[in-house]
Protein backbone atom coordinates (compact mmCIF):
# COMPACT_ATOMS: atom_id res chain seq x y z
CA UNK A 1 0.00 0.00 0.00
CA UNK A 2 1.07 3.54 -0.58
CA UNK A 3 2.77 5.56 2.07
CA UNK A 4 3.21 8.58 -0.18
CA UNK A 5 1.69 11.83 1.01
CA UNK A 6 0.54 14.84 -0.96
CA UNK A 7 1.40 18.06 0.83
CA UNK A 8 1.64 21.68 0.03
CA UNK A 9 4.97 23.41 -0.19
CA UNK A 10 6.47 25.78 2.35
CA UNK A 11 7.88 29.28 1.97
CA UNK A 12 11.35 27.71 2.16
CA UNK A 13 10.45 25.39 -0.74
CA UNK A 14 9.31 28.37 -2.81
CA UNK A 15 12.52 30.31 -2.14
CA UNK A 16 14.73 27.29 -2.85
CA UNK A 17 12.88 26.54 -6.11
CA UNK A 18 13.14 30.16 -7.23
CA UNK A 19 16.91 30.06 -6.60
CA UNK A 20 17.19 26.77 -8.51
CA UNK A 21 15.25 28.21 -11.47
CA UNK A 22 17.41 31.37 -11.45
CA UNK A 23 20.62 29.31 -11.40
CA UNK A 24 19.33 27.12 -14.23
CA UNK A 25 18.41 30.21 -16.27
CA UNK A 26 22.05 31.36 -16.12
CA UNK A 27 22.97 28.31 -18.23
CA UNK A 28 20.53 29.21 -21.02
CA UNK A 29 22.38 30.18 -24.18
CA UNK A 30 25.41 28.05 -23.26
CA UNK A 31 26.36 24.66 -24.73
CA UNK A 32 25.12 23.00 -21.50
CA UNK A 33 21.71 24.67 -21.40
CA UNK A 34 18.76 22.70 -20.11
CA UNK A 35 15.46 23.54 -18.45
CA UNK A 36 16.00 20.51 -16.20
CA UNK A 37 18.06 20.96 -13.03
CA UNK A 38 17.92 19.29 -9.62
CA UNK A 39 19.26 19.80 -6.10
CA UNK A 40 19.66 17.43 -3.18
CA UNK A 41 19.24 19.27 0.10
CA UNK A 42 19.53 18.11 3.69
CA UNK A 43 15.90 18.15 4.82
CA UNK A 44 16.49 19.26 8.44
CA UNK A 45 18.97 22.06 7.75
CA UNK A 46 18.26 23.13 4.16
CA UNK A 47 21.96 22.68 3.34
CA UNK A 48 22.59 22.17 -0.38
CA UNK A 49 24.52 18.95 -0.97
CA UNK A 50 24.72 18.82 -4.77
CA UNK A 51 23.20 20.26 -7.94
CA UNK A 52 23.14 18.81 -11.43
CA UNK A 53 21.79 19.79 -14.84
CA UNK A 54 20.36 17.36 -17.35
CA UNK A 55 23.25 15.94 -19.43
CA UNK A 56 21.46 13.66 -21.91
CA UNK A 57 23.08 15.30 -24.96
CA UNK A 58 26.50 15.88 -23.37
CA UNK A 59 26.81 12.30 -22.16
CA UNK A 60 24.96 10.67 -25.08
CA UNK A 61 22.91 8.90 -22.41
CA UNK A 62 19.11 9.04 -22.34
CA UNK A 63 19.15 8.31 -18.59
CA UNK A 64 21.31 11.34 -17.71
CA UNK A 65 18.38 13.31 -16.35
CA UNK A 66 19.21 15.92 -13.73
CA UNK A 67 17.42 14.01 -10.96
CA UNK A 68 19.18 10.70 -11.68
CA UNK A 69 22.56 12.42 -11.95
CA UNK A 70 22.23 14.36 -8.69
CA UNK A 71 20.91 11.37 -6.72
CA UNK A 72 23.72 9.11 -7.99
CA UNK A 73 26.38 11.73 -7.26
CA UNK A 74 24.99 12.43 -3.78
CA UNK A 75 24.98 8.74 -2.84
CA UNK A 76 28.59 8.49 -4.02
CA UNK A 77 29.70 11.66 -2.24
CA UNK A 78 28.02 10.68 1.03
CA UNK A 79 28.94 7.00 0.61
CA UNK A 80 25.30 6.05 1.31
CA UNK A 81 22.83 3.80 -0.46
CA UNK A 82 19.83 5.65 0.96
CA UNK A 83 19.18 9.35 1.23
CA UNK A 84 16.76 9.39 4.14
CA UNK A 85 16.99 12.88 5.60
CA UNK A 86 17.31 14.55 2.19
CA UNK A 87 14.96 16.33 -0.22
CA UNK A 88 15.13 16.40 -4.01
CA UNK A 89 14.21 19.73 -5.63
CA UNK A 90 13.74 19.72 -9.38
CA UNK A 91 12.72 22.34 -11.93
CA UNK A 92 10.32 19.88 -13.56
CA UNK A 93 8.12 17.12 -12.23
CA UNK A 94 10.15 13.92 -12.31
CA UNK A 95 9.43 11.49 -15.12
CA UNK A 96 8.69 7.89 -14.06
CA UNK A 97 12.39 6.96 -14.30
CA UNK A 98 13.47 9.89 -12.11
CA UNK A 99 10.66 9.42 -9.60
CA UNK A 100 11.56 5.74 -9.35
CA UNK A 101 15.17 6.75 -8.67
CA UNK A 102 13.96 9.14 -5.95
CA UNK A 103 11.99 6.31 -4.36
CA UNK A 104 14.87 3.82 -4.62
CA UNK A 105 17.26 6.38 -3.13
CA UNK A 106 14.97 6.91 -0.14
CA UNK A 107 14.70 10.71 -0.21
CA UNK A 108 12.12 12.11 2.21
CA UNK A 109 10.55 14.50 -0.26
CA UNK A 110 10.45 15.50 -3.91
CA UNK A 111 9.57 19.13 -4.66
CA UNK A 112 9.05 20.11 -8.29
CA UNK A 113 8.46 23.27 -10.33
CA UNK A 114 6.97 22.78 -13.81
CA UNK A 115 4.60 19.86 -14.36
CA UNK A 116 4.98 17.01 -16.83
CA UNK A 117 2.20 18.65 -18.88
CA UNK A 118 4.16 21.92 -18.93
CA UNK A 119 7.25 20.11 -20.20
CA UNK A 120 5.24 18.13 -22.75
CA UNK A 121 4.34 21.36 -24.56
CA UNK A 122 8.03 21.62 -25.46
CA UNK A 123 9.54 18.13 -25.49
CA UNK A 124 8.59 14.46 -25.33
CA UNK A 125 7.34 13.15 -22.00
CA UNK A 126 5.87 10.04 -20.40
CA UNK A 127 2.52 11.10 -18.98
CA UNK A 128 2.67 9.43 -15.58
CA UNK A 129 2.67 11.97 -12.75
CA UNK A 130 5.27 11.68 -9.99
CA UNK A 131 2.54 11.22 -7.37
CA UNK A 132 1.16 8.25 -9.30
CA UNK A 133 4.58 6.57 -9.34
CA UNK A 134 4.95 7.25 -5.60
CA UNK A 135 1.50 5.90 -4.73
CA UNK A 136 2.17 2.71 -6.71
CA UNK A 137 5.16 2.00 -4.46
CA UNK A 138 5.51 0.72 -0.92
CA UNK A 139 8.28 3.30 -0.33
CA UNK A 140 7.51 6.50 1.54
CA UNK A 141 8.14 9.82 -0.22
CA UNK A 142 6.26 13.09 -0.02
CA UNK A 143 5.68 14.76 -3.39
CA UNK A 144 5.05 18.52 -3.36
CA UNK A 145 4.43 20.71 -6.35
CA UNK A 146 4.17 22.55 -8.51
CA UNK A 147 6.25 25.16 -6.68
CA UNK A 148 7.50 28.32 -8.45
CA UNK A 149 5.83 26.92 -11.55
CA UNK A 150 5.92 30.23 -13.44
CA UNK A 151 9.69 30.55 -13.02
CA UNK A 152 10.31 26.93 -14.02
CA UNK A 153 8.00 27.04 -17.06
CA UNK A 154 9.87 30.19 -18.15
CA UNK A 155 13.00 28.04 -18.54
CA UNK A 156 11.27 26.09 -21.33
CA UNK A 157 9.84 29.24 -22.92
CA UNK A 158 13.09 31.21 -23.07
CA UNK A 159 13.93 31.87 -26.77
CA UNK A 160 17.40 30.36 -26.37
CA UNK A 161 15.91 27.16 -24.98
CA UNK A 162 13.26 27.14 -27.70
CA UNK A 163 16.02 27.19 -30.32
CA UNK A 164 17.68 24.20 -28.63
CA UNK A 165 14.38 22.33 -28.42
CA UNK A 166 13.89 22.81 -32.16
CA UNK A 167 17.36 21.28 -32.65
CA UNK A 168 16.38 18.30 -30.46
CA UNK A 169 13.22 17.75 -32.48
CA UNK A 170 15.10 17.78 -35.80
CA UNK A 171 17.70 15.32 -34.53
CA UNK A 172 15.12 12.71 -33.45
CA UNK A 173 14.66 9.67 -35.63
CA UNK A 174 11.37 9.59 -37.48
CA UNK A 175 8.69 7.33 -36.05
CA UNK A 176 8.48 3.92 -37.68
CA UNK A 177 5.83 3.63 -40.38
CA UNK A 178 2.95 1.28 -39.74
CA UNK A 179 1.31 -0.72 -42.47
Amino acid sequence: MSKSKETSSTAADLERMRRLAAWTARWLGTPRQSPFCADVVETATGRLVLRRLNAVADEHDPSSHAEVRVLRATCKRLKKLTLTGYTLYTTCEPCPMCMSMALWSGVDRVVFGATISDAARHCSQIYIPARTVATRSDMKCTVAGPVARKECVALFEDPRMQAMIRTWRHSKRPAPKTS
Side-chain angles (χ1 to χ4, degrees):
M1 295 269 73
S2 168
K3 294 180 186 174
S4 175
K5 297 185 282 183
E6 186 173 325
T7 62
S8 60
S9 62
T10 66
D13 290 337
L14 180 60
E15 179 56 30
R16 177 162 299 286
M17 189 63 71
R18 284 181 172 154
R19 285 194 311 253
L20 180 60
W23 186 89
T24 306
R26 289 195 301 246
W27 288 92
L28 297 178
T30 73
R32 294 192 57 211
Q33 72 181 351
S34 174
F36 303 101
C37 190
D39 283 350
V40 171
V41 172
E42 196 169 30
T43 302
T45 66
R47 178 183 65 88
L48 175 64
V49 178
L50 279 175
R51 175 176 287 158
R52 292 289 185 268
L53 285 165
N54 177 305
V56 169
D58 287 349
E59 296 178 2
H60 305 285
D61 179 353
S63 71
S64 287
H65 291 200
E67 299 92 338
V68 170
R69 294 181 73 235
V70 77
L71 290 167
R72 283 179 179 159
T74 301
C75 286
K76 285 180 184 178
R77 175 177 281 182
L78 300 177
K79 296 182 179 12
K80 292 182 170 194
L81 289 177
T82 62
L83 297 176
T84 302
Y86 295 88
T87 297
L88 174 68
Y89 287 87
T90 180
T91 57
C92 188
E93 183 174 3
C95 72
M97 175 183 69
C98 293
M99 189 61 211
S100 295
M101 179 66 173
L103 291 167
W104 286 117
S105 73
V107 293
D108 301 332
R109 303 173 64 231
V110 171
V111 181
F112 67 87
T115 66
I116 287 176
S117 294
D118 294 330
R121 288 196 303 272
H122 305 284
C123 53
S124 298
Q125 291 296 313
I126 299 172
Y127 293 92
I128 302 173
R131 284 186 183 91
T132 299
V133 175
T135 59
R136 299 292 303 268
S137 164
D138 63 356
M139 295 171 254
K140 181 181 177 186
C141 182
T142 300
V143 178
V147 175
R149 184 178 185 182
K150 179 182 170 188
E151 293 89 334
C152 293
V153 168
L155 297 168
F156 289 94
E157 295 174 346
D158 183 283
R160 297 166 294 180
M161 194 67 242
Q162 285 292 303
M164 179 62 78
I165 290 169
R166 283 190 296 278
T167 302
W168 292 345
R169 285 186 180 145
H170 292 299
S171 68
K172 298 259 183 188
R173 287 179 283 165
K177 294 183 180 181
T178 56
S179 310

